[in-house]
Amino acid sequence: MPRGRYSLHDPHDHTPLGEEHFHCAPGPSGWRYVSQITTPSGDHSGSVDLALDELGRPIRLELHASSWQVRGAAIDGVTWVRTDPTGTHATEGNVRAHAFTGTSPAFLVAISRLLRLTPGSPATRVRLVAFTDPVLAPRTLDQSWALMKSEAHATDNGPLMVDEYQVSALDTGEQHVVHIAGDVVLAAPGIELEDLETPPSVFP
């Protein structure tokens, strides 16, 4: 069960946004990721609980940030309920999309599991619902993902397979690179892996 810590920062001006302390593991039904998010000063600011089925679809998502809450799942596309800090107003949403995304590294692993790309295959378009901080506002966006290469890197625990993805935002044309090993993000815009107690899990 990988357990560790990511640092989060603004991908444009590198302003520190906090840290995400996580653990994750594949299970009989798929994969689960749980994390607690802290501010740069160390205060608790939110949490992520994401479970995927064996095909990489989100069967349960629960997000907390700034007292806002989102619960979602892949139902008729993706469906979610967003609750305000007072708990008195809940709004439902549904979009013909493939998955969810947001600032957590969990979503990058989840999308890579859903798409299951092979090196050299054409870029694949994916429609996502992003929950944007600080109030988890939903926004639908389209990306294309391409697996540029998979390389083995030597480590103390044996070779580690690292996948390099090129991700393109289809509304702006902006491109960035994401490096993933198993179920851990090694590097991505706004995300740095600071600490990892156990090696990444290897998906079957």
Side-chain angles (χ1 to χ4, degrees):
M1 177 187 290
R3 185 182 294 271
R5 174 172 54 90
Y6 294 108
S7 64
L8 309 176
H9 55 265
D10 187 296
H12 303 291
D13 63 11
H14 300 288
T15 302
L17 300 177
E19 293 188 332
E20 188 160 334
H21 301 257
F22 73 95
H23 61 270
C24 55
S29 61
W31 181 71
R32 187 172 178 207
Y33 176 102
V34 177
S35 70
Q36 299 293 323
I37 302 163
T38 57
T39 65
S41 62
D43 297 325
H44 181 264
S45 63
S47 63
V48 178
D49 189 342
L50 173 65
L52 308 180
D53 67 10
E54 66 275 7
L55 297 177
R57 297 172 301 197
I59 53 175
R60 190 184 74 253
L61 170 68
E62 186 169 323
L63 297 177
H64 292 266
S66 303
S67 299
W68 290 81
Q69 175 183 289
V70 165
R71 293 175 185 263
I75 303 170
D76 297 327
V78 294
T79 299
W80 68 91
V81 176
R82 176 172 172 263
T83 309
D84 74 313
T86 65
T88 55
H89 300 289
T91 55
E92 291 189 25
N94 172 260
V95 171
R96 289 278 176 194
H98 300 97
F100 299 110
T101 191
T103 54
S104 173
F107 295 113
L108 299 175
V109 175
I111 296 166
S112 72
R113 292 299 300 152
L114 180 71
L115 298 179
R116 309 212 178 190
L117 302 174
T118 55
S121 60
T124 298
R125 180 175 180 145
V126 60
R127 172 156 287 187
L128 305 166
V129 172
F131 294 107
T132 54
D133 293 334
V135 294
L136 302 178
R139 181 170 68 94
T140 304
L141 53 88
D142 293 294
Q143 292 180 340
S144 79
W145 280 61
L147 178 54
M148 307 308 289
K149 59 186 176 184
S150 295
E151 290 184 338
H153 292 254
T155 71
D156 295 340
N157 298 306
L160 181 68
M161 288 301 298
V162 178
D163 295 329
E164 179 183 312
Y165 294 91
Q166 180 170 289
V167 181
S168 304
L170 297 183
D171 54 350
T172 63
E174 185 178 2
Q175 295 184 333
H176 59 267
V177 174
V178 174
H179 290 93
I180 296 176
D183 56 358
V184 173
V185 176
L186 301 182
I191 298 166
E192 293 291 340
L193 179 64
E194 300 289 351
D195 181 46
L196 185 63
E197 294 180 13
T198 45
S201 302
V202 176
F203 288 108

